[in-house]
Amino acid sequence: MDFLGKIKQHRREEERLKWEGTFAEYLELLKERPEIAQSAHSRVYNMIKSAGVSEEDDKKHYHFFDQEIFGLEDAIERLVEEYFHPAAKRLDVRKRILLLMGPVSGGKSTIVTMLKRGLEAYSKTDEGAIYAIKGCPMHEDPLHLVPHHLRDAFYEEYGIKIEGNLSPLNTMRLEQEYDGCIENVLVERIFLSEDKRVGIGTFSPSDPKSQDIADLTGSIDFSTIAEFGSESDPRAYRFDGELNKANRGMMEFQEMLKCDEKFLWHLLSLTQEGNFKAGRFALISADELIVAHTNESEYRSFISNKKNEALHSRIIVMPIPYNLQVSDEERIYEKMIKESDMDVHIAPHALRTAAIFSVLTRLKESESRGIDLVKKMRLYDGENVEGFNNADLHELKTEYQDEGMSGIDPRYVINRISSAIIKKDVPSINALDILRSIKEGLDQHASISKEDKERYLNFISLARQEYDELAKKEVQKAFVYSFEESAKTLMDNYLDNVEAFCNKNKMTDPITGEELDPDEKLMRSIEEQIGISENAKKAFREEILIRISAYARKGKRFDYQSHERLREAIQKKLFADLKDVVKITTSTKTPDETQLKRINEVIARLVDDYGYNTTSANELLKYVGSLLNR
């Protein structure tokens, strides 16, 4: 379908979704689908749930945030389970302002934007449908038309609780336009839209001297006073403040803690009682989620002021720290680069190396577990670290409440990647280019203290060491012809010898047929690659045999990928055997024909199989050659 065709289809779909009828007809809809009368908080919670929820190890993963938020599963779970879920059940937290607190570029604004965009889309689904009194500037809930003395009877019949009072404007319209007959009041389906100011509002403070409270609560339309005769006539009032327009949905309060006090007092009544004061009218009911975001220093300053105690008690704070998982940090950079116009090849492992540096700056040294930051980083990223298990991981994650609330932010790293691209002016950048740019940028970063700068320089060195290992492994794999086959052959040979050793059997020479003892030299040459000592070799071999038996019982085949440490040992052994070849072929200025052919084969394999281009593959080979020649 062409683009114009898609526009026409979208228009037809919007027309199909529209609905208009009387209040009596709306009640018939309610009987069939009582969920359309849900509260704003309930709608947000159900919207998040509708995208899917998976559970593993007693942890819930909400897929609504998958496309934009990486590495914040714990924070998201807490946000949904401690705020949105109980608020949807009408528990007291719904009477609190949701304040997302965390460091800059940590994902707070992204979460809020996702909620807003999500609500817009959800209001166009059957599950998220919203109905309002037609012609109401606040998109008021039609159930406010039900008189208070009949609401208990309504609950008995429909099972729906009604909260809130009919607004002054609709009270007048009910009498003047409908002669008090609520069953005739027109109701329409509405669709939330921030751009059209329907159910989604955004308030951003400006100069306290010039900002008007009308931005929040609406204002008198003086041009209509002559027509209607009084400022207290609701028809002379513009119900166009952000609190008015955000009714039935949510309002983002940007930089809330920087706001003048008079703006914040309006939130006290709205959060606790579900209403606010506007003009010369009775309190106006509003059903909306108020979400704000701030950084830690502003929040500490806010709560230290005694005058803010009343508002502070009506705020529920949700910490949103930086991501602490290298793999997810890499995904953050990939996402940010895709959103830009960067047209350059970024070599494999370059973004991962930058992510290693960033995550190291955010971690805190463990005082109880005796684990260095690199091992802690690997453990957080889901890697197996010898001597540590899931219980240790849980203890590490709960050791500090504020881990991840400081460190290098993703935007800084992206800025340095951009700088590296511009500075190098070539079609490819690698990990070393990015680390060099990050290092140069520390001198220009005014907010980094001298002490932090020294720490960060050390983290750059650690990230470089991690990259060195990744680079050597990459070349190691590329240099081994038919690597998987070579690895499989070596592993099968090792396993045959291990099985004979553990069962105290002899091996049979495939050529001569004579019986031989297991090849101890071969087994040790592989085990030593991963630090298995002479004393520990028997236990390691028995562990391998047990793993093979376990796989066999489940009808699964034990292969090269089945044991992480054994796979690492096989890779290192193969590379150790080829190390001299690598050194010669990468360091010779005038390689002979055989060497040149091998180099070209390796470059082709790096390009075809591992995501490099010719430039980055050549750079990788030269770099690894220099490492091996040290």
Side-chain angles (χ1 to χ4, degrees), residues 74-86:
D74 289 346
I76 292 293
E77 182 185 21
R78 183 180 173 193
L79 172 64
V80 176
E81 290 301 311
E82 294 186 19
Y83 184 78
F84 289 125
H85 191 182

Side-chain angles (χ1 to χ4, degrees), residues 349-366:
H349 308 304
L351 296 182
R352 183 169 187 82
T353 305
I356 287 169
F357 163 74
S358 298
V359 170
L360 285 172
T361 68
R362 302 167 188 170
L363 294 175
K364 293 195 171 189
E365 296 272 5
S366 175

Side-chain angles (χ1 to χ4, degrees), residues 164-183:
N165 301 314
L166 195 61
S167 67
L169 179 61
N170 285 323
T171 300
M172 177 177 281
R173 290 179 64 207
L174 177 61
E175 294 303 320
Q176 294 186 357
E177 295 178 27
Y178 298 101
D179 294 326
C181 299
I182 66 171
E183 64 272 22

